[in-house]
Amino acid sequence: SQQGEEDPQALSIQEGENATMNCSYKTSINNLQWYRQNSGRGLVHLILIRSNEREKHSGRLRVTLDTSKKSSSLLITASRAADTASYFCASGPTSGSRLTFGEGTQLTVNP
Amino acid sequence: EADIYQTPRYLVIGTGKKITLECSQTMGHDKMYWYQQDPGMELHLIHYSYGVNSTEKGDLSSESTVSRIRTEHFPLTLESARPSHTSQYLCASSGGTLYNSPLHFGNGTRLTVT
């Protein structure tokens, strides 16, 4: 399986509900990043959490990191139709190598 | 939105043609990257650059080549396009420590080779 797997692959919710997406990775990381991609566009950086952090907030976004389980979650609270997009996690290695992206979660927020 | 620009946005071209995908950024970032992404799939790094005159191949084998003659410009060239090259190509840049800073992406070039 891929480094940076995301779960679920697709999520459909109603406006106002919370959306939770999970990401797992395989190797030791320096940081874990989350990005959003609207259909047909490039990725937009949302939040970066370092390996020594457990939780981080930015507006309606809350990211957690559990390095013992090699997993992270992204919570979007009070979702809006405009949050409809694909969400990717990307793991930043401790040394050398490449930023590895997951397969993404397609979030649909219905008005 | 980040100041990183890709042209063209869409390109439909016949097999065997030579093409160059343009990418420019105005943020003065020293690191730039090319990713390939099929619809609904993950991103694969195909090339990256630490700075002027520095280029490296990424994780995904690619028949494309890149150059970095100026800080702001990182074009990708396919000498002979094939249908297997049909994909979306995303350019990105970053200004911090390698992979410890956010990437800024362009809006991509969607390439179709017939």
Side-chain angles (χ1 to χ4, degrees), chain A residues 45-61:
Chain A
H45 179 260
L46 295 175
I47 197 164
L48 181 154
I49 185 166
R50 302 195 186 282
S51 59
N52 60 353
E53 298 175 309
R54 291 298 165 257
E55 188 170 311
K56 200 162 184 179
H57 297 255
S58 176
R60 294 184 295 113
L61 306 180

Side-chain angles (χ1 to χ4, degrees), chain A residues 33 35 45 48 99, chain B residues 2 4 25 27-33 35 48-51 68 71 74 91-105:
Chain A
Q33 303 179 29
Y35 290 80
H45 179 260
L48 181 154
L99 189 65
Chain B
I4 180 163
Q25 50 98 2
M27 296 171 283
H29 287 166
D30 52 353
K31 299 170 189 65
M32 296 189 73
Y33 316 85
Y35 287 87
Y48 62 101
S49 168
Y50 296 154
R68 190 90 183 277
T71 297
F74 191 40
C91 181
S93 70
S94 70
T97 307
L98 189 63
Y99 297 123
N100 290 324
S101 294
L103 302 186
H104 299 264
F105 283 84

Side-chain angles (χ1 to χ4, degrees), chain A residues 2 30-31 33 35-37 40-45 48 50 88 92-93 96-104, chain B residues 1 9 35 37 40-45 48 57-59 88 90 98-103 105-107 110:
Chain A
Q2 289 282 338
N30 176 283
N31 66 83
Q33 303 179 29
Y35 290 80
R36 184 189 75 230
Q37 184 179 34
R41 308 293 290 257
L43 280 71
V44 175
H45 179 260
L48 181 154
R50 302 195 186 282
F88 291 86
S97 198
R98 291 64 159 114
L99 189 65
T100 303
F101 283 84
E103 296 175 356
Chain B
E1 298 292 328
R9 281 283 281 130
Y35 287 87
Q37 182 189 31
M41 303 297 285
E42 69 264 45
L43 282 72
H44 294 288
L45 181 67
Y48 62 101
K57 288 190 180 295
D59 298 318
Q88 174 160 259
L90 294 167
L98 189 63
Y99 297 123
N100 290 324
S101 294
L103 302 186
F105 283 84
N107 281 325
R110 186 170 295 280

Side-chain angles (χ1 to χ4, degrees), chain B residues 8-48:
Chain B
R9 281 283 281 130
Y10 302 94
L11 179 61
V12 180
I13 200 163
T15 297
K17 300 290 186 183
K18 178 180 178 178
I19 59 170
T20 297
L21 308 184
E22 301 288 350
C23 176
S24 295
Q25 50 98 2
T26 60
M27 296 171 283
H29 287 166
D30 52 353
K31 299 170 189 65
M32 296 189 73
Y33 316 85
W34 276 103
Y35 287 87
Q36 186 174 340
Q37 182 189 31
D38 291 325
M41 303 297 285
E42 69 264 45
L43 282 72
H44 294 288
L45 181 67
I46 51 175
H47 295 283
Y48 62 101

Side-chain angles (χ1 to χ4, degrees), chain A residues 7 9 12 15 20 27 40 42 62-64 75 85 87 91 97 99 104:
Chain A
D7 170 46
Q9 286 188 314
S12 181
E15 214 165 22
T20 300
T27 60
R62 173 179 170 252
V63 168
T64 61
L75 168 67
Y87 291 81
S91 52
S97 198
L99 189 65

